[in-house]
Amino acid sequence: MIFRRILGFIPLIFGITFISFMIMHAAPGDPTMMFVDPSVQIQDMAQVKANLGLDKPVLVQYFFWLKEIGKGNLGFSYVSGQPVLDLLWERLPATLLLSVSSLILILCFTFPLGLLSGYKKDSFFDRAVTFLSFLGMSLPTFWLGLMLLLLFSLRWSLFPTFGFIDPFLEDASLWARAVSVLHHMFLPLLTILIGGLAGLIRFNRFSIIEILSQDYIQAGRARGLSERRLLFKHAFKNAALPIVTILGAGLSGLIGGSFVIEYIFSWPGMGQLGVSAVFARDYPVLMGSILFSSILIMLGNFLADLSYSKIDPRVRIR
Amino acid sequence: MKISVLGRLSIGFFIALFLLSFGLLLFPSLDPTAFDPFYIGNPEAPSWAHWFGTDDFGRDILLRCLSGARISLLVGIVSVLISVFLGVWVGLVSGFYGGWVDAVLMRFVDIMLGIPSLFLILTIQVMLSPSIINVIVVIGLTSWMGVARMVRSEVLSMRERVFITAAFARGFSNSKVLFKHILPHTLLPVIVAAMLGMGSAILAESVLSFLGLGVQPPHASWGNMLENSLSFMRDAPWMTVCPGLLITASVLGLNFIGDDMRAYLNVRERVDARA
Amino acid sequence: MRVSQDMEACFLCYIYIMFQKILFLTLLSSCGLFLTACTSEPQPQQTDTLRLLLSANPSILNPILSTDSASSSVEGLIFNGLLRVNEDMQLVPDLAKSYTISPDNKTYTFHLRDDVLWHDGHRFDANDVKFTLETLLDPKTNTVRRSNYVINGKPVKVEVLDDFTLQFILPEVYSPFLIRSSLSILPEHLLAGQDINTATFNMAPIGTGPYRFKEWKAGQHVRLEKNESYYAGVPKTDHIYMPIISDPNTALVALEKQEIDRSSLPVKEVPRFIDHAFINRFHYYDLMYTYLGFNLDKAVFKDRRVRAAIAHAINKPALVQAVLKGYGKPADVPSSPLLWSYPDNDDLGFPFDLDKSRTLLKEAGYQLKDNYLEKDGTRLGFTLITNKGNREREKTAQIIQRTLKLIGMDVEIQVMEWSSFIKVVNSPDTPKAFDAVVLGWSLSMEPDAYSIWHSSQYPKGFNFVGYKNERVDALLDAGRLETEQGKRKTIYAQMYKAIVTDIPYVFLYYPESNVGIQKTVNGLTKPGPAGLMTRIENVYLQP
């Protein structure tokens, strides 16, 4: 039952928000402490704290937060006073664009590479793919990002250094704007790809090795089925199954995961919002981001389950 | 066990690294934190005296990298030990006892996985103030969930096996079955996971350093050296070479070794992402 | 598994074709886009848009609520105060034409300009000023600046005499008040009756300044356009585009690629920008000093000889050279060479003298044992904290640590994230949980440093080192009551001398800022802590 499964998410989200809330409030400092110079007075900071309700016990604060969520109100940022929902909403397009396109590209690259490498197990090709994908995974992201920036942007002037879209294009055609966004997205995307290929390539490789050694493949071969048919009817489908699951879980990396890349390339995504909220102790924004990403994770898992049962009728959603 | 060339190279690399970094302790005159506080010039390019150049305090980069190896490997090993310890316990208890214990523990795992890990790490790290021990604890505390799930499914499949039912039938106590029969069988895949986990822990330390919450100066870790080198990329690009190479080589090496072990164990990456 | 040769070939073929298709679809199509973008790239440099970097997403565009520098750099272009600070560090009229101070020094009368319009066309008048001050004083307003307008517990009163004349009435004489009248003024007609903390105004502000707000894309940029009816003349540049670039390395690349017009330059990068082809580099003192502060409540620092020994051990010129690459000046007093209150005799410090340090420590009863000093079996040492994110301070801390090791002190460094750091130094406990701190105070033109040095500001306040000196307290009070600049200077010179002698801090250096600006940018004012664009309306671009 789909409905029951969705219902099962509610206590989970409850738990996630509760634990994050408690951890957050255990961190020292509060939003009034961001800016301190001799002209700021301690009593003013205390007054602001009281205005924000921060002088109340943590449990009470959590209860208030929940109550507002119940009314569909994510609260207001302590720092900017803006509704948290608006803040998240503004960041959504850039985040979705970068993460969804990186997911798609990763899928496009890893599938053939993994299949081929598993099929030609222990060949030179297999080893080269293994080595290079592991190498990509082993490079620290921030280092890689800056290197690409220095090389492609400064040295060769191929790509812009920062941002999401050329700011003087608001009257331009949709096409010109899309080109601009893609142009800006290339380097961050490349950085994500280099680091993110290894896992799925390895995964595909193992799947294909295992599947090719299964009895029914051998039996198919014996019956004289063409190699192509074998692979793409049977092996392909079975290898696709677990990938769906992995991608479902991959949604979780959507928000927090790409912070470093967002930071280096000044990409206006949610990761930057969340991390700056950690440092500014902007609890409502942080809680909003966490709530949002936990819903995404649930959604990812749920979609994975759904497609699981579509691809493989043996699996039924309980 | 068949070890690939890359696996052998990696093992050799780690042995050499251990010998060099701990061998350094025998020469107290080679202090990697030492510099002349009254004269600090610009970073020097690599030369015979300093193979990988010097940093912005005039300290030898190779020397710092080798002593940083102790810290980076310590972070890798101990944080993985913490995560494996937690993961194995939670997984064992959950898989073995089942029922509401399992339900509660697995819900907790789901919750921990549901909080974006970067926020979790950042908030805890901010709470604890950055020191080597806290870096280790934070990485350990936020990375045990995968192991827990793996061990649990391992235990579940184990319970169905004939020799376990036989052990129960012979009247062995729960704990005896758990520790004598089930635990040893789950250990091998755990070791593989630990190898890969160490790699991620070393990378995690470097990301923490990038955010300013990693191992603190004047202690050298590869992560903070790499982070420091970033702002010198234009004027002293050599500063980035040694820590960058060592991080990459170590993570790569751990993956190769893990890969060989996995091939040997015929353990597949397990996916158990379903909540 | 064994597969026949031709089967394998067939399979490989298929994979390769598929792979190529995918490559074509993903890479080539997008690369095609990139290439078209590239060919269209060399944009003619626009002379109607000034591109000024923001180092973070602004938090809130309301000058009485915001606390971050990104917000205030936007607000500075949109709003005006009654007075403003000019490039010579003087208070000059802005929205006020002139002002007079009553003989008893308690009533400040401002005569306002009658030709100022808000960006929406509404006329600015004295009620806006009254509204701004009253909003600030309202406890429900989430501002940390309220106490600037509360003197000894009593708020400043404002009285509107007519539309363009108003009076501030102080409860008692308070000479630092004048600088407070550079406060940015908010429009009453748009904000009256609203909750100032959450008003939509804060995201799309309307001011009286040279530029009007146009657009704010979170995490991307803020855009402004010129205010055609600006009272001081129409700005020469039509638009200001403020891209948000958080990573300083990226910002520098953007400057060198001529994607932005201005960026600060880290000291180690400065040599590249001297005699640069298309970038001018400027430098000026920041209004701040960096210091090493001792927690005077800790046993080890109760002995002045220990503090003096540390002061003598620090080689300030070498520190300036090492940390600031020479772009700064050794500091001896808690002021800035830019200020009128800077004492004529600034040679009050402790010359670098390691032998003297050693002698002092010996006198204090410390004995050298295994390279470290000991007294009664305890090793002489302390933990030095500083805040994360300021490389100069981190480097300073490391150099101090190394230096003090030479005379036998065991120093440990802890670099703390900002909020945690403030939590420690601002905690209401005594003694506070730190030994010593490397930090900087930014200053205003007003030399009154009551909250840093007055004994009443401990433990609650910024006198977190716990400094107590009755003479300094008296001088601070006297400085607030004296209104004549010359006399105040004498008072503060005496105070600085007393403070330096007591060594609660070792003053380290006055840092300089280095800024790179594209050569196409003209109409700059002379370099100073207020930047080079204090008259932004005169700035224009000429390729």
Side-chain angles (χ1 to χ4, degrees), chain A residues 231-243:
Chain A
L231 265 155
F232 287 91
K233 186 87 204 280
H234 297 285
F236 192 94
K237 202 164 139 183
N238 282 343
L241 249 161
I243 285 188

Side-chain angles (χ1 to χ4, degrees), chain C residues 423-434:
Chain C
K423 182 86 180 169
V424 168
V425 296
N426 269 3
S427 78
D429 323 323
T430 50
K432 301 192 186 219
F434 75 97

Side-chain angles (χ1 to χ4, degrees), chain A residues 34-36 38 40-41 44 51 79-80 82 90 116 119 153 159 161 166-167 175 182-183 186 231 264 281, chain C residues 11-12 33-34 43 59-60 67 139-140 142 144 147-148 203 218 223 241 250 257 259 417-418 451 462:
Chain A
M34 273 317 283
F35 183 75
V36 168
V40 170
Q41 297 290 318
D44 291 339
N51 288 357
V79 179
S80 69
Q82 294 180 47
E90 290 175 327
L116 195 54
Y119 187 74
S153 181
F159 298 100
T161 329
D166 202 322
W175 169 250
L182 280 174
H183 195 196
F186 187 82
L231 265 155
I264 287 179
R281 308 286 191 273
Chain C
F11 173 58
L12 284 186
L33 294 184
F34 297 133
Q43 299 158 347
S59 58
I60 181 166
T67 53
K140 286 201 285 293
N142 292 338
V144 290
S147 307
N148 286 343
M203 281 162 278
R223 299 182 67 177
Y241 161 60
T250 311
K257 283 189 69 190
E259 292 177 344
E417 183 256 351
W418 185 246
S451 63
F462 290 112

Side-chain angles (χ1 to χ4, degrees), chain B residues 12-13 42 51 54 63 96 99 105 137 166 189 205 207 230 232 262:
Chain B
F13 167 78
N42 292 318
W51 293 0
T54 66
L63 197 61
F96 189 75
L105 286 175
V137 170
E205 194 273 329
V207 172
L230 287 188
F232 289 89
R262 185 161 45 199

Side-chain angles (χ1 to χ4, degrees), chain C residues 229-247:
Chain C
S229 53
Y230 187 49
Y231 81 84
V234 182
K236 291 183 177 160
T237 306
D238 293 351
H239 304 280
I240 294 185
Y241 161 60
M242 308 177 97
I244 296 156
I245 307 178
S246 312
D247 186 52

Side-chain angles (χ1 to χ4, degrees), chain B residues 21-54:
Chain B
S21 62
F22 283 93
L24 214 56
L25 294 173
L26 300 174
F27 302 94
S29 62
L30 294 174
D31 180 358
T33 57
F35 63 91
D36 175 2
F38 305 124
Y39 177 75
I40 294 169
N42 292 318
E44 281 170 38
S47 64
W48 279 113
H50 304 288
W51 293 0
F52 285 90
T54 66

